[in-house]
Amino acid sequence: MQKQKIQFEISYLKPQDLSVADTELLASAHEALNTSYSPYSNFKVGAALRLASGTIVQGSNQENASFPAGLCAERVAVFQAGVRFPGEVIETIAIAVSGGSLPATPAAPCGNCRQAILEYELRQDRPIRYLLAAGNETVVAIPSTRDLLPLGFDSSYLKQ
């Protein structure tokens, strides 16, 4: 039997440790919470991503009475960026949450979002960095989608 250990590093940052650009991006993610449509879970998620051009694109979760027909904030932002700014590189995505019983550690994207964002990361051949926040205490920084989804499904499985 062969074993392989998969590890990655995350950084826990205080708001004062963030760059001006990262502070602005997190503020945009918090602002996106205001457009969340989450009457069923009462768990609001706001996302904001920064493109290489400096453009910021927001998204928020959009629920539906027919669970799970809604969309997560992360995919709303990423898909919107893909349509409005095709081919532009996504550098960083900030995710803010509120409502429910917030954990001590901010919430990371769900599996569907990780897989969808991995596709963008692979297409641009550059990592997408994450900033995760819940409240204003600690920000978790993750260097890449591959860290969140190390065994992600990609096009290599589809080649004949």
Side-chain angles (χ1 to χ4, degrees):
M1 170 174 62
Q2 181 181 358
K3 290 184 179 183
Q4 178 182 3
K5 189 173 192 172
I6 298 173
Q7 298 177 312
F8 73 98
E9 288 186 19
I10 61 176
S11 300
Y12 294 90
L13 307 169
K14 295 293 180 193
Q16 62 268 22
D17 299 330
L18 298 172
S19 68
V20 172
D22 285 347
T23 300
E24 178 185 51
L25 192 63
L26 276 169
S28 186
H30 281 282
E31 180 183 286
L33 290 169
N34 295 323
T35 63
S36 168
Y37 180 71
S38 48
Y40 306 103
S41 71
N42 293 313
F43 188 74
K44 296 178 181 296
V45 182
L49 58 83
R50 183 184 314 101
L51 302 173
S53 66
T55 301
I56 293 177
V57 178
Q58 291 180 322
S60 61
N61 58 323
Q62 302 296 309
E63 292 182 350
N64 188 294
S66 177
F67 268 2
L71 276 177
C72 299
E74 300 91 317
R75 282 182 284 158
V76 170
V78 169
F79 294 161
Q80 183 179 183
V83 170
R84 292 181 53 211
F85 306 98
E88 284 206 39
V89 170
I90 300 169
E91 291 185 334
T92 304
I93 184 166
I95 302 163
V97 297
S98 73
S101 61
L102 292 178
T105 302
C110 73
N112 286 332
C113 288
R114 293 175 194 206
Q115 182 63 50
I117 298 170
L118 177 64
E119 185 73 21
Y120 280 79
E121 187 170 291
L122 294 171
R123 281 175 34 192
Q124 68 186 31
D125 195 29
R126 231 172 109 179
I128 297 173
R129 182 171 157 257
Y130 291 79
L131 295 171
L132 311 177
N136 295 317
E137 298 290 321
T138 300
V139 175
V140 174
I142 301 168
S144 169
T145 308
R146 285 221 177 260
D147 293 323
L148 288 174
L149 191 64
L151 301 175
F153 186 83
D154 62 39
S155 63
S156 68
Y157 294 98
L158 304 174
K159 294 183 178 169
Q160 296 186 11

